[in-house]
Amino acid sequence: MGAAGLGALLRSVRYEVLPAKATEDKVLAHVPREVVVTVTASPVKGLEPTLDLVGRLAAHGYRVVPHVPARLLRDDAHLKDVVDRLAEAGVADVFVPAGDADPPAGGYDGALPVLRRLGELGSPFARVGVTGYPESHPLLHDDVTVQAMWDKREHATYIVSNLCFDPRVLGEWLVRIRARNVTLPVHVGVAGPVQRAKLLAMATKIGVGESTRFLTKHASWFVRFATPGGYAPERLLARAEAALTAPSAGVAGLHLFTFNQIAETEKWRRALLDRLGA
């Protein structure tokens, strides 16, 4: 692997964590302050655990990015309350996906109306992220997801790509969105060094109903993680190196899905940086 390009991406990393009981202690024990921490939101438990953990981590000096799924917002007043709480915590960066809540908690069924409303509230966040889909979305055609990024470009400052396990698909997607004049920087979503048993335990902890949706939606992930030699993040990065480090790709860094295997993810990142001599 190329040391300079991939080393830079590994240093410009974001860790996605779930707001579980032990998450705060794990982050404090293993995550350096220069690593951005993003906190997911559960369609079962709602936004409150996310906002609570974000406030605590921000107080510890972390740069924290809450996920604010549109479909978890009840109404404009709820959104305004979320904005006020995050501003009070000193949060300057939010990630706004559509979310998986079905049915939606209120009138927002997609990210774009929330992004527009944030603009009407005076654009309270310096950085706003939206979702990209290198691999096909289960409900939307690929051209629709690319068009959605185009529609959101005036309201967002960056894109976070969903998980992709195919370096060829990832590279082609980066070329395609740039050809469509989607110029926002991309944080490429990569699964960390996930152990299948721990992934299954994590899925169980997030709630029975949500676990069922998670396992159904992402069944192919478990096949990849469970197959001997089936998935290793460093192998994916090596094969995708040219696509990720090309100046035209506009890749700003890696967004690592830790699945709350936080210590393991940081240990892996440090070891890979050492191997790269970066």
Side-chain angles (χ1 to χ4, degrees):
M1 287 189 285
L6 286 176
L9 295 180
L10 284 163
R11 286 190 298 271
S12 301
V13 74
R14 298 154 54 100
Y15 283 174
E16 180 174 303
V17 304
L18 292 92
K21 184 177 180 180
T23 304
E24 180 181 3
D25 290 340
K26 289 181 179 181
V27 171
L28 291 174
H30 302 290
V31 180
R33 293 300 192 279
E34 63 267 21
V35 171
V36 175
V37 179
T38 81
V39 182
T40 66
S42 161
V44 172
K45 299 179 181 177
L47 277 170
E48 191 59 35
T50 299
L51 299 176
D52 183 54
L53 179 58
V54 165
R56 296 200 309 271
L57 291 177
H60 288 300
Y62 285 96
R63 290 179 293 163
V64 194
V65 182
H67 292 214
V68 183
R71 296 170 71 90
L72 286 183
L73 294 166
R74 296 186 298 273
D75 49 32
D76 287 354
H78 187 199
L79 174 59
K80 179 63 165 58
D81 178 64
V82 169
V83 168
D84 290 345
R85 289 181 63 178
L86 293 176
E88 185 177 351
V91 171
D93 189 343
V94 294
F95 176 61
V96 184
D100 296 325
D102 187 16
Y108 293 118
D109 63 354
L112 186 56
V114 175
L115 297 172
R116 288 171 173 158
R117 183 60 182 150
L118 288 174
E120 293 169 358
L121 292 173
S123 301
F125 303 105
R127 289 172 50 80
V128 178
V130 295
T131 310
Y133 295 96
E135 295 188 342
S136 296
H137 188 283
L139 301 177
L140 299 173
H141 189 278
D142 290 348
D143 286 343
V144 175
T145 63
V146 174
Q147 182 63 44
M149 285 184 287
W150 169 260
D151 293 339
K152 297 169 187 173
R153 74 195 186 284
E154 295 181 355
H155 308 281
T157 61
Y158 64 92
I159 295 166
V160 176
S161 75
N162 206 350
L163 281 179
C164 180
F165 296 97
D166 188 326
R168 178 188 57 82
V169 170
L170 180 57
E172 291 175 352
W173 175 75
L174 288 167
V175 169
R176 190 166 78 251
I177 66 171
R178 298 315 182 199
R180 291 280 295 273
N181 289 323
V182 176
T183 59
L184 296 175
V186 174
H187 295 266
V188 172
V190 175
V194 181
Q195 297 178 21
R196 181 175 179 269
K198 290 188 177 181
L199 184 62
L200 286 167
M202 180 279 299
T204 301
K205 288 178 181 178
I206 61 179
V208 175
E210 188 175 357
S211 295
T212 301
R213 285 191 294 272
F214 184 92
L215 293 167
T216 301
K217 183 178 178 182
H218 304 298
S220 64
W221 295 4
F222 289 89
V223 173
R224 293 176 187 271
F225 295 143
T227 303
Y231 175 73
E234 61 271 22
R235 185 164 62 244
L236 173 64
L237 292 175
R239 292 174 177 172
E241 176 189 350
L244 297 179
T245 59
S248 60
V251 175
L254 301 178
H255 181 98
L256 287 175
F257 292 79
T258 71
F259 300 103
N260 275 18
Q261 295 182 40
I262 296 166
E264 296 88 341
T265 301
E266 177 61 10
K267 180 180 179 181
W268 168 83
R269 184 180 76 99
R270 290 288 182 181
L272 186 52
L273 282 169
D274 289 344
R275 283 167 49 193
L276 291 170

